[in-house]
Amino acid sequence: MHGQFSWYDLMTPDSAVAERFYPSVTGWSTEEWDKADYTMWTAGGVPFGGMNPISPEQTAQGIRPHWLAYVTVDDIGRTAEKVRSIGGRVLHEEEIPDVGRFAIIQDPQGAMLAVIKSATPSPGWDGTPSLGKFSWHELMTTDYRAAFDFYRQLFGWENQQEMDMGPAGKYLMYGKNGKMYGGIYNREPERANVPPNWLFYANVKDVNKSVEAAKQNGGQLRVGPMQVPGGDWVAVFTDPQGAPFAVHQTKAKAAAARKAQPKKKSSANAKTKAKTKARTKAAARKKSKPKAKARAKARPKKATRKARRR
C-alpha cells in the first residue's frame, strides 16, 4: 500500500455546482458521509474521493479550485520527517477520528500532494485502470528529474520509462511493481507563469462523450481529445469553477467503441450502387423490347379478322 494513490478531494467554493458537473462527465455518483458534513464521490457504489469547501477567506489568500490526491504511507510521522530532509515542506498535518492521520506536503519545486495513514485498511490503486476511477496522475514541474527523485525517496516509485517529446523535452513515466501510475514532465516555456501542479485523469468509457458533457455543463476544453502514444485517448479541461481536470479512455475501450458503432455507407458507395441499379434496369428494358415486338408481330391484324368474319 505504501506509495499507492488512495483518495481524491475536490477543493471547490461551490459543491452544488460540482455535484451537477462531474457525474455528467464521468458517470460518478455521490454519497453523504454519515459521520460528518462531507459529500463523497463514488464509482460503482464505492467511494474514492470527496469535496471540501474553499472558504471566502481562503479564496482571498489565493487558494484556487483544484484537486488534491492522497498517497497512502506506512507512517505519517516518518514520512513528514523524510519530506523535510529531502527538501520538501509539510504544510498541514491533522488527525481525523475514525479516518486516520494525513498531511499536505509540497515538493521542492512547489507542487502539492497529500499523504495519509488510514485508521482502517483501505484499498489503494495498484495501477490497473478501472472505469470511473482515476487512472493517470501527471505532474507538471520545473525539473522533472529532481521531482521524480523526491517522490522516489518518499514513496518508492520507479522510473519505468522515459519518452522523448521533441522540443517539449522528456516525459518520465513512473509506477511500482511493473504498473504505471502516471507521468512527470517539465512545463513549457510559454507556461512559465503556471506553478508546478498535479493533474488527475478519470478513466471513462468514451472520451468524446465526456468532452461534450463537460462543454454542455460549463466546462472549458483545454486540450484534445487527442490520441497519445500507445493508443489511449485523453482530454483536459477545467470545471465550471476553474479546477483543472482530465479524462482518459484506454486503447481497449476505444477499440470496443469503434467496433460497436454501426458501419456507415459512404455517399460514393451509395452513388455507385444507384448507378449500377439504374444500368441493370435499363438493360432489362432493352431485353424486353424484342420480345414485345415479337408478340406484336404474332398478333393477327384487325383487317384480316374482319375479312374472316365476312
Side-chain angles (χ1 to χ4, degrees):
M1 287 292 294
H2 184 85
Q4 290 186 354
F5 288 91
S6 55
W7 196 257
Y8 307 84
D9 268 338
L10 172 63
M11 314 302 290
T12 180
D14 193 332
S15 298
V17 172
E19 197 168 341
R20 289 192 298 270
F21 176 79
Y22 284 99
S24 68
V25 174
T26 62
W28 297 343
S29 297
T30 57
E31 181 181 315
E32 297 302 317
W33 191 31
D34 59 1
K35 296 179 181 178
D37 183 15
Y38 180 74
T39 301
M40 298 183 293
W41 300 113
T42 67
V46 180
F48 65 89
M51 285 183 278
N52 274 316
I54 296 177
S55 67
E57 293 76 21
Q58 289 175 317
T59 299
Q61 293 169 9
I63 297 177
R64 311 304 302 166
H66 65 279
W67 280 88
L68 177 69
Y70 293 71
V71 178
T72 292
V73 294
D74 293 333
D75 186 280
I76 289 293
R78 285 201 302 267
T79 299
E81 289 176 8
K82 187 70 173 178
V83 166
R84 297 185 182 99
S85 70
I86 56 178
R89 297 173 61 201
V90 178
L91 304 178
H92 179 77
E93 192 172 344
E94 184 180 343
E95 184 159 355
I96 301 176
D98 301 321
V99 173
R101 192 164 190 81
F102 76 93
I104 299 174
I105 65 171
Q106 189 174 45
D107 67 29
Q109 288 72 42
M112 290 190 297
L113 205 61
V115 291
I116 186 168
K117 170 64 176 177
S118 298
T120 56
S122 59
W125 182 71
D126 68 355
T128 304
S130 177
L131 190 62
K133 302 288 185 64
F134 284 97
S135 56
W136 197 253
H137 310 76
E138 190 173 76
L139 172 63
M140 183 189 75
T141 186
T142 55
D143 187 338
Y144 82 97
R145 287 192 181 280
F148 169 72
D149 192 56
F150 172 83
Y151 292 108
R152 177 190 63 78
Q153 295 182 67
L154 200 60
F155 301 137
W157 289 349
E158 304 156 358
N159 180 344
Q160 297 192 348
Q161 185 180 343
E162 286 190 45
M163 182 171 60
D164 191 345
M165 299 192 298
K170 294 290 184 74
Y171 189 87
L172 185 153
M173 287 169 276
Y174 66 92
K176 292 188 78 171
N177 303 318
K179 295 288 186 71
M180 288 188 181
Y181 290 179
I184 305 174
Y185 69 100
N186 286 344
R187 69 185 176 195
E188 301 87 344
E190 61 270 22
R191 302 181 70 189
N193 62 329
V194 180
N197 64 88
W198 284 90
L199 177 67
F200 309 110
Y201 292 68
N203 186 242
V204 296
K205 188 180 294 184
D206 189 319
V207 70
N208 291 303
K209 289 182 179 179
S210 292
V211 167
E212 286 306 310
K215 290 179 181 178
Q216 292 170 11
N217 289 277
Q220 297 293 319
L221 182 64
R222 301 302 183 192
V223 179
M226 69 176 185
Q227 192 171 30
V228 294
D232 291 4
W233 284 82
V234 299
V236 181
F237 44 84
T238 53
D239 72 15
Q241 297 171 99
F245 186 71
V247 289
H248 166 217
Q249 180 182 356
T250 62
K251 180 181 178 181
K253 287 187 177 67
R258 287 195 300 271
K259 191 174 181 180
Q261 288 176 352
K263 293 182 179 179
K264 295 181 179 179
K265 297 178 181 178
S266 68
S267 58
N269 287 341
K271 287 179 181 178
T272 302
K273 288 186 177 181
K275 287 180 180 178
T276 303
K277 191 173 182 181
R279 289 194 201 103
T280 303
K281 285 184 177 180
R285 284 196 297 270
K286 285 180 181 179
K287 286 182 180 180
S288 65
K289 283 181 180 179
K291 292 182 180 179
K293 288 181 180 178
R295 284 196 294 269
K297 286 182 179 179
R299 291 184 191 129
K301 293 181 180 180
K302 291 182 180 180
T304 306
R305 287 199 295 273
K306 286 181 182 179
R308 284 179 181 174
R309 281 200 295 270
R310 287 176 182 169

